[in-house]
């Protein structure tokens, strides 16, 4: 739709005018730093940062009702830079001009209601938000669009000549980083560090296909992260892990989209997210808080963070009810089917602690909860969800398993509606599905498949080799007819088909 065709009072808001300015804010010492340089941690005290809008107060002058109309109408605008996460430009990166925005089709992922059977099994109404339908098939694209647009902005304004984007990854960050870097390939190169044998073949193929330099390192993600931190401290590289606060900004779009999809009514809504490095839950909390502050929503939804028993440092931290007594202790992870969340020392923990407190305070009651799930439940719910029309990966299964635990623990009210983060596409993690179907999980996982859910292809092959074509040697007509007949009979027998009445 063209600008002149929108309601007159909205026209002037359609192209975002607000410019921040933005600054980094340290969660340790509270100091602020300018964004002309790419910082990951505070130069004064080494703590992690968040990005603040110094003129956020201005945004509050626009009534919530108007914001809702701006975001709803802006969806109809055909400007690529505003089609993805920057639909919420004023909140996500007002310092970034539209001409620097890298848009590859991220964001605005579908929200799919579960069928009645699955809802009953899970104990109530719920939806999956399919973030696997992002361009590199995980939610990481949201943050990467934001971080890469910022780097592109630094290059276009001559602040840096180019960049070598580098990240450690459990698989999906590297896929996203390599994809967005490849779009800017003439100025941005990328290098990714992966724990050897701890990402799936599909995830490994992604950065390779995008032309990134791929390094496999012995150990787990936490080890790769240490190396990337060492490199970014000493060399001129752009770190693209969620330690980079620009990633968080982009990922806030997940919250804005949920609010918009539910007509901005967050009463009786529960958002369920799996936690690994804790960048995602940081962004989800921050997003809803900002939407509340500008009046786009009137209530904060409940948030449930889920961790596997095999990688549960955040869950353990919050087991202690007394905030004063809580102490963060990193854990050594064990193998998990929620492989992208297999992180024992989450980089964003200080952000989570800060935002959970703020969130509960603003809500006037405890609204953020953490639950732990078994590997068995992750796998069973993942398989069951996909047998009922979904495309969730193991982490989507983790969200669903977490919802069930949360319901059992009475964290939800009867008419609460849950929105589950299906963080990546099922295809990325199909190897775990295969282990389930073939019942060959390594012992450490402790997973025994439910025979009812197992599935395998069935090879149908005529017994007489004369009835089977070979490459370059098609069957003569009568033998081919015999082949079709025999195979059809076997399939009909296997499916127990009844003969139909001839019309
Ligand atoms: C990265 C990732 C997670 C964990 O998100 P964090 O921000 O690291 O907590 C969960 N699921 C998938 C599929 C991921 O790629
Ligand atoms: Zn500091």
């Amino acid at each position: 739709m063209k600008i002149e065709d929108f309601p007159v009072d909205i026209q002037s808001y359609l192209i975002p005018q607000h410019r921040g300015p933005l600054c980094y804010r340290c969660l340790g010492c509270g100091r602020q730093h300018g964004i002309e340089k790419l910082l990951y941690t505070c130069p004064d005290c080494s703590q992690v940062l968040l990005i603040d809008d110094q003129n956020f107060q201005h945004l509050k002058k626009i009534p919530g009702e108007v914001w809702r109309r701006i975001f709803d109408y802006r969806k109809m605008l055909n400007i690529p830079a505003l089609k993805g996460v920057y639909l919420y430009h004023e909140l996500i990166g007002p310092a970034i001009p539209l001409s620097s925005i890298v848009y590859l089709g991220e964001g605005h992922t579908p929200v799919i209601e579960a069928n009645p059977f699955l809802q009953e099994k899970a104990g109530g109404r719920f939806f999956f938000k399919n973030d696997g339908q992002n361009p590199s098939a995980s939610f990481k694209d949201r943050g990467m669009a934001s971080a890469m647009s910022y780097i592109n902005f630094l290059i276009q304004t001559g602040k840096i000549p180019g960049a070598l984007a580098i990240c450690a990854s459990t698989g999906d960050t590297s896929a996203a980083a390599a994809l967005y870097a490849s779009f800017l390939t003439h100025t941005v190169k990328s290098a990714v560090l992966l724990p050897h044998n701890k990402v799936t073949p599909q995830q490994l193929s992604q950065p390779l296909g995008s032309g990134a330099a791929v390094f496999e390192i012995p150990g787990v993600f936490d080890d790769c992260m240490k190396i990337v931190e060492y490199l970014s401290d000493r060399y001129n590289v752009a770190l693209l892990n969620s330690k980079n606060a620009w990633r968080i900004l982009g990922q806030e779009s997940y919250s804005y989209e949920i609010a918009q999809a539910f007509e901005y009514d967050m009463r009786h809504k529960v958002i369920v997210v799996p936690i690994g490095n804790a960048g995602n839950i940081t962004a989800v909390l921050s997003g809803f808080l900002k939407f509340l502050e500008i009046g786009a929503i009137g209530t904060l939804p409940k948030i449930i963070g889920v961790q596997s028993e095999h990688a549960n440092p955040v869950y353990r931290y919050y087991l202690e009810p007394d905030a004063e007594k809580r102490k963060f202790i990193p854990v050594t992870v064990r193998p998990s089917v929620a492989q992208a969340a297999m992180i024992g020392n989450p980089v964003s923990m200080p952000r989570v602690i800060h935002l959970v407190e703020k969130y509960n305070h603003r809500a006037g009651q405890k609204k953020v909860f953490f639950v732990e799930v078994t590997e068995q439940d992750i796998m069973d719910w993942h398989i069951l969800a996909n047998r009922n029309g979904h495309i969730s990966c193991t982490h989507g299964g983790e969200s669903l398993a977490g919802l069930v635990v949360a319901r059992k623990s009475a964290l939800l009210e009867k008419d609460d509606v849950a929105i589950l983060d299906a963080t990546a596409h099922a295809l990325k993690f199909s190897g775990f599905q295969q282990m389930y179907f073939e019942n060959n999980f390594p012992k450490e996982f402790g997973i025994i498949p439910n025979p009812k859910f197992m599935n395998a292809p069935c090879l149908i092959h005529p017994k007489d080799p004369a009835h089977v074509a070979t490459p370059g040697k098609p069957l003569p007509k009568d033998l081919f007819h015999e082949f079709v007949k025999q195979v059809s009979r076997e399939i009909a027998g296997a499916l127990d088909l009844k003969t139909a009445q001839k019309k």
Side-chain angles (χ1 to χ4, degrees):
M1 206 155 114
K2 295 196 199 76
I3 297 212
E4 58 269 27
D5 298 332
F6 286 86
V8 178
D9 65 316
I10 286 298
Q11 287 180 9
S12 64
Y13 292 112
L14 287 169
I15 309 292
Q17 302 299 329
H18 183 71
R19 287 288 169 266
L22 302 179
C23 67
Y24 298 107
R25 177 169 52 91
C26 172
L27 290 183
C29 67
R31 283 206 189 91
Q32 300 192 337
H33 306 276
I35 59 157
E36 14 353 285
K37 274 213 321 232
L38 177 48
L39 295 180
Y40 316 111
T41 51
C42 175
D44 299 323
C45 78
S46 303
Q47 256 293 11
V48 285
L49 308 164
L50 283 174
I51 294 170
D52 271 356
D53 178 346
Q54 288 175 306
N55 273 327
F56 194 80
Q57 297 306 324
H58 284 325
L59 301 180
K60 294 192 193 173
K61 290 188 198 141
I62 298 172
E65 162 61 19
V66 177
W67 277 121
R68 294 194 278 269
R69 294 180 66 226
I70 294 173
F71 296 135
D72 288 348
Y73 277 118
R74 206 177 264 166
K75 271 193 156 182
M76 288 189 268
L77 202 58
N78 286 311
I79 297 178
L82 298 174
K83 282 261 168 228
V85 300
Y86 285 97
L87 180 89
Y88 315 96
H89 186 269
E90 292 89 343
L91 301 172
I92 281 186
I96 313 290
L98 300 197
S99 54
S100 295
I101 288 173
V102 181
Y103 169 65
L104 300 183
E106 64 285 344
H108 304 286
T109 52
V111 178
I112 309 295
E113 182 161 11
N115 68 19
F117 168 81
L118 198 58
Q119 300 210 16
E120 196 186 318
K121 280 265 172 199
R125 193 159 180 226
F126 80 91
F127 297 73
F128 272 112
K129 182 162 169 67
N130 282 347
D131 256 26
Q133 286 174 261
N134 275 299
S136 81
S138 88
F139 77 83
K140 300 294 201 298
D141 293 325
R142 297 175 180 275
M144 218 47 84
S146 154
M148 220 49 107
S149 297
Y150 168 65
I151 288 175
N152 196 32
F153 168 63
L154 292 181
I155 294 169
Q156 288 184 341
T157 51
K159 301 228 166 45
I160 55 172
L164 176 72
I166 191 166
C167 66
S169 177
T170 51
D172 293 334
T173 300
S174 54
L179 175 65
Y180 283 79
S182 72
F183 187 80
L184 300 173
T185 185
H186 297 289
T187 45
V188 180
K189 303 287 175 222
S190 68
V192 306
L193 275 69
L194 302 170
H196 185 50
N197 282 336
K198 300 221 167 47
V199 306
T200 71
Q202 297 87 329
Q203 290 173 315
L204 181 58
S205 79
Q206 291 187 288
L208 289 172
S210 298
V214 177
F215 299 96
E216 297 187 282
I217 314 286
V220 294
F221 169 84
D222 297 289
D223 304 306
C224 293
M225 192 66 214
K226 282 277 174 289
I227 296 167
V228 163
E229 284 173 339
Y230 187 94
L231 288 169
S232 64
D233 279 348
R234 282 164 187 79
Y235 299 90
N236 203 1
V237 293
L239 180 137
L240 278 179
N241 282 96
S242 52
K243 191 167 193 180
N244 180 333
W246 293 92
R247 286 270 314 277
I248 305 294
L249 275 185
Q251 288 171 199
E252 287 171 2
S253 59
Y254 186 78
S255 299
Y256 308 145
E257 288 176 19
I258 288 177
Q260 197 168 18
F262 288 89
E263 308 297 352
Y264 304 94
D265 181 0
M266 292 291 99
R267 288 171 301 172
H268 287 290
K269 301 296 185 304
V270 183
I271 318 299
V272 187
V273 290
I275 304 177
N277 221 4
N280 195 24
I281 191 164
T282 294
V284 168
L285 292 167
S286 174
F288 283 118
L289 278 168
K290 282 199 208 166
F291 243 29
L292 183 77
E293 288 201 24
I294 64 164
I297 53 173
T299 323
L300 288 171
K302 225 174 256 176
I303 309 283
I304 299 192
V306 190
Q307 293 208 293
S308 157
E309 282 180 345
H310 287 191
N312 59 359
V314 183
Y315 169 77
R316 280 164 174 262
Y317 176 83
Y318 283 102
L319 273 181
E320 168 59 59
D322 184 349
E324 299 292 312
K325 288 198 200 135
R326 284 182 198 139
K327 196 166 170 291
F328 182 73
I329 305 165
V331 306
T332 304
V333 294
R334 286 180 283 157
S336 171
V337 294
Q339 196 165 258
M342 233 175 82
I343 296 175
N345 191 12
V347 160
S348 283
M349 196 62 206
R351 292 168 171 155
V352 173
I353 294 170
H354 169 76
L355 286 170
V356 166
E357 197 193 318
K358 186 166 168 185
Y359 200 94
N360 288 332
H361 179 74
R362 284 291 150 81
Q365 66 186 96
K366 188 170 169 188
K367 281 226 168 170
V368 189
F369 302 89
F370 298 89
V371 299
E372 156 182 85
V373 295
T374 64
E375 291 291 313
Q376 180 76 51
D377 282 343
I378 296 175
M379 228 29 233
D380 288 342
W381 284 109
H382 157 55
I383 300 277
L384 187 66
N386 292 1
R387 290 175 70 96
N388 284 273
H390 299 284
I391 51 168
S392 96
C393 67
T394 44
H395 309 80
E398 184 176 14
S399 295
L400 180 49
L403 172 66
V404 172
V405 169
R407 276 226 162 87
K408 282 195 182 131
S409 317
L411 299 181
L412 273 71
E413 284 163 53
K414 205 173 136 283
D415 43 0
D416 278 355
V417 173
I419 298 104
L420 313 187
D421 198 343
T423 46
H425 198 289
L427 289 175
K428 283 205 189 218
F429 297 91
S430 58
F432 291 116
Q433 171 182 299
Q434 197 165 337
M435 286 184 203
Y436 194 94
F437 291 163
E438 294 173 357
N439 191 11
N440 60 8
F441 272 104
K443 254 210 320 286
E444 313 88 88
F445 288 93
I447 294 172
I448 297 159
N450 179 341
K452 277 199 305 217
F453 297 162
M454 284 164 85
N455 205 355
C458 172
L459 179 67
I460 307 239
H461 201 279
K463 288 177 190 67
D464 186 348
H467 292 152
V468 183
T470 48
K473 264 183 77 187
L475 293 175
K477 211 170 161 200
D478 53 334
L479 286 181
F480 183 66
H481 182 69
E482 196 50 39
F483 166 78
V484 170
K485 215 164 85 183
Q486 280 192 28
V487 171
S488 302
R489 274 203 196 127
E490 274 202 53
I491 292 176
L495 294 175
D496 199 17
L497 300 180
K498 305 277 171 289
T499 13
Q501 222 82 50
K502 276 253 163 62
K503 294 206 184 80

